[in-house]
Amino acid sequence: FPISGGGYVRLSTWAFIKALIRHYIQQNDYYVFYLHPFELTKQKIPFLKELKFYDKFYLKKGIRNYGWRVQKIIGMLTFLHVSVFGSL
């Protein structure tokens, strides 16, 4: 589902992603979020000259606000400590 992180969260509007995540959380008892390390770095990403315009756009779009979005997503979630599941 396109709400798990990465490019989907960077490229979509916040209102759209927020609504999708809220709906998903209401329907499910878990949510898996992933991110790429380069999405949170403040360092400029070196691009290879061979990359196509689309690839450069995809990798750069939404990077500036991504950390803010990740914080907002974390705030929407409830976390459980691993001890809740007992010993396996």
Side-chain angles (χ1 to χ4, degrees), residues 10 36-48 51 56 58-61 63:
R10 283 188 290 108
H36 306 284
F38 78 88
E39 292 171 321
L40 294 178
T41 185
K42 298 284 186 197
Q43 296 179 352
K44 188 171 179 124
I45 304 167
F47 289 102
L48 301 174
L51 282 180
K56 289 179 184 179
Y58 176 80
L59 292 172
K60 290 174 81 174
K61 177 74 173 135
I63 287 290

Side-chain angles (χ1 to χ4, degrees), residues 67-80:
W68 176 85
R69 289 182 179 209
V70 170
Q71 289 177 345
K72 292 292 187 182
I73 291 170
I74 289 171
M76 296 169 67
L77 305 174
T78 302
F79 294 89
L80 299 175

Side-chain angles (χ1 to χ4, degrees), residues 19-48:
L20 285 177
I21 292 173
R22 279 206 172 130
H23 177 73
Y24 185 87
I25 291 171
Q26 289 172 353
Q27 302 297 318
N28 299 279
D29 60 353
Y30 66 93
Y31 174 71
V32 176
F33 181 79
Y34 70 89
L35 55 89
H36 306 284
F38 78 88
E39 292 171 321
L40 294 178
T41 185
K42 298 284 186 197
Q43 296 179 352
K44 188 171 179 124
I45 304 167
F47 289 102
L48 301 174

